[in-house]
Amino acid sequence: MNEFQGKRVVLGVTGGVAAYKAAELVRLLVKAGAEVDVALTAAGAQFVGAATFQALTGRRVWQALWDERMDNGMAHIGLTRGAAALLVAPATADFLAKLAHGFADDLLSTVCLARDCPLLVAPAMNRQMLENSATQRNVAQLRADGVSILGPAHGEQACGEVGEGRMLEAAELLDDLHAFLQPKPMSGKRVLLTAGPTFEMLDPVRGLTNSSSGKMGFALARACVEAGAEVTLVAGPVALATPRGVRRIDVQSAVQMGDAVTLALPGQNVFIGVAAVADYRPQKTSAHKIKKGPSSLTLQLDANPDILAEVAARPDAPFCVGFAAESQDLAANAEGKRVAKKLALVVGNLVQDGLGGDTNAVTLFDAAGAHVLPPGDKSEVARGIVAHIARLMEKQLGQH
Ligand code: C5P
């Protein structure tokens, strides 16, 4: 969506094969609303030409220290003034070495030295170049200097070898940069979430489930990571990609979800039950396919454990948050659930507003009353929920 609206990003491109991914990253950034200024080194231009970056950004590309476009002739100073971040992707072994030692012998290295915004680098090189103690020393020095290192990943390399050193994909870099720019009110906190539906098996091919897409829970998990938390997500059967930085545990039934939550619970500061847990499960799961029989079939069902209520009832309960998806009487039902399950916060929404789609409209119910969040994209709504949780936890701490 417009996650980078109003933000200017300076992208440094140095001379590695992965420079082609930088072109894709520019496209994604621009699509997300960012203004992008590309600073291209001479070696970078050997891989992807300035014309490509100019076309993708709609802006001239910066290549020379002596560029006269800045009024004062000092592109190396002006370029990062007012920018949200400076990201070098790909960052070659040579460029990391220059950065670590403060060299300033071309435009990009000088921009890095004179920067007035956070610096992130996405290393890209052959695995042996990365493993070399000189590179390892340089990366450690950059970390100590407050530079954020994104990746690199393990995988197939352009040289034909397989190992560590591949630059992250453009979409991963976009996610990491976005996460980096978010406020960090959950820093140092551990968050456990459930998401998605559960599937209660009737026989090897059939079961009871519901239409929860898992999108809200996954968006919340991502927002918690962006806010600085360490996140574990227990997910029912959904076909969604795991948000970056989230530890995911896949389960099928409500009982399995409850067991996974119990195992992961020690040490958690926050528990958010987003999953649409099936209230009942078949009393018997048939080992073989149930055959068609007489005109009606009666199923005996047993009640499933209420995972959230059980967690909230523990003497050492973390900060507990529940969801209430209702088809009517939202306020009464949501506040009723909050009190009955002893929750600090309930996120209420009408099913017609949220189920399955990419947007949601929610109201937050806590001890102080009801708070309506602006409706929007689920990721935007998730960020609003996380900010509210962080504020409530802060207040709680203040009272103790
Ligand atoms: O189903 P109900 O409306 O009571 O769900 C409210 C909250 O309780 C949700 O946050 C849901 O994740 C949680 N829940 C649960 N285990 C259940 C039923 C609901 O954790 N068996």
Side-chain angles (χ1 to χ4, degrees):
M1 297 293 144
N2 284 334
E3 293 181 322
F4 284 81
Q5 199 65 49
K7 294 204 162 72
R8 190 166 65 84
V9 174
V10 181
L11 179 68
V13 179
T14 70
V17 187
Y20 78 91
K21 295 187 195 173
E24 173 70 7
L25 175 61
V26 168
R27 199 183 67 84
L28 295 176
L29 278 166
V30 169
K31 215 167 131 195
E35 270 182 6
V36 184
D37 275 313
V38 172
L40 185 61
T41 66
Q46 295 289 324
F47 289 90
V48 180
T52 300
F53 290 113
Q54 183 175 341
L56 290 170
T57 59
R59 296 153 81 91
R60 292 263 303 279
V61 171
W62 300 86
Q63 289 180 279
L65 253 177
W66 317 112
D67 200 305
E68 287 164 2
R69 278 173 289 161
M70 287 276 172
D71 284 343
N72 61 4
M74 295 194 212
H76 62 289
I77 308 283
L79 213 46
T80 60
R81 298 295 179 269
L86 164 59
L87 167 62
V88 180
T92 58
D94 176 65
F95 195 76
L96 295 178
K98 281 169 69 167
L99 264 185
H101 292 87
F103 279 75
D105 60 356
D106 65 359
L107 177 67
L108 182 58
S109 54
T110 315
V111 165
C112 288
L113 204 59
R115 72 182 179 275
D116 187 30
C117 68
L119 172 63
L120 302 92
V121 297
M125 67 198 73
N126 161 273
R127 68 183 170 87
Q128 266 157 337
M129 292 173 84
L130 181 69
E131 281 163 16
N132 190 292
S133 52
T135 308
Q136 290 299 315
R137 235 180 4 250
N138 291 333
V139 170
Q141 184 59 54
L142 289 172
R143 256 204 199 98
D145 292 345
V147 176
S148 295
I149 317 285
L150 306 184
H154 184 95
E156 229 172 83
Q157 306 202 305
C159 51
E161 297 181 9
V162 174
E164 210 74 33
R166 239 180 99 88
M167 190 171 85
L168 296 183
E169 298 304 321
E172 294 174 321
L173 289 174
L174 185 83
D175 269 3
D176 285 2
L177 181 58
H178 182 258
F180 176 86
L181 294 174
Q182 297 307 305
K184 304 278 174 250
M186 300 284 263
S187 170
K189 299 274 187 287
R190 296 182 67 199
V191 180
L192 177 65
L193 302 101
T194 62
T198 64
F199 184 87
E200 314 295 327
M201 267 175 80
L202 268 170
D203 71 15
V205 292
R206 305 185 185 95
L208 301 177
T209 188
N210 59 64
S211 56
S212 165
S213 65
K215 286 179 183 168
M216 194 64 230
F218 276 60
L220 256 176
R222 179 178 173 217
C224 288
V225 169
E226 289 179 351
E230 193 186 309
V231 180
T232 305
L233 174 65
V234 180
V238 291
L240 294 174
T242 310
R244 282 180 65 66
V246 168
R247 182 167 81 102
R248 174 175 179 171
I249 303 165
D250 282 316
V251 297
Q252 203 174 39
S253 67
V255 169
Q256 287 169 356
M257 186 174 272
D259 290 346
V261 165
T262 305
L263 261 181
L265 198 60
Q268 299 290 345
N269 305 102
V270 181
F271 177 64
I272 314 178
V274 197
V277 184
D279 290 323
Y280 296 94
R281 64 175 178 277
Q283 218 166 55
K284 279 201 315 261
T285 300
S286 167
H288 296 285
K289 216 175 140 184
I290 300 169
K291 293 289 175 212
K292 200 188 288 181
S295 58
S296 75
L297 174 71
T298 304
L299 293 175
Q300 294 289 338
L301 303 177
D302 283 342
N304 269 329
D306 190 313
I307 301 167
L308 180 58
E310 285 182 6
V311 170
R314 294 166 79 112
D316 57 347
F319 185 97
C320 284
V321 181
F323 269 68
E326 307 293 338
S327 54
Q328 56 178 358
D329 294 337
L330 180 61
N333 282 318
E335 181 59 14
K337 268 175 202 171
R338 193 181 76 79
V339 174
K341 298 196 191 195
K342 298 194 176 61
L343 308 174
L345 177 70
V346 163
V347 181
N349 72 293
L350 291 167
V351 279
Q352 50 270 39
D353 286 337
L355 213 69
D358 288 325
T359 60
N360 207 351
V362 305
T363 304
L364 307 182
F365 298 86
D366 61 24
H371 317 266
V372 179
L373 282 192
D377 197 71
K378 281 183 177 168
S379 54
E380 206 52 53
V381 170
R383 261 174 241 134
I385 296 170
V386 171
H388 195 84
I389 292 173
R391 277 196 297 273
L392 286 179
M393 291 179 77
E394 183 86 0
K395 230 190 265 170
Q396 250 186 13
L397 268 182
Q399 284 162 1
H400 290 161

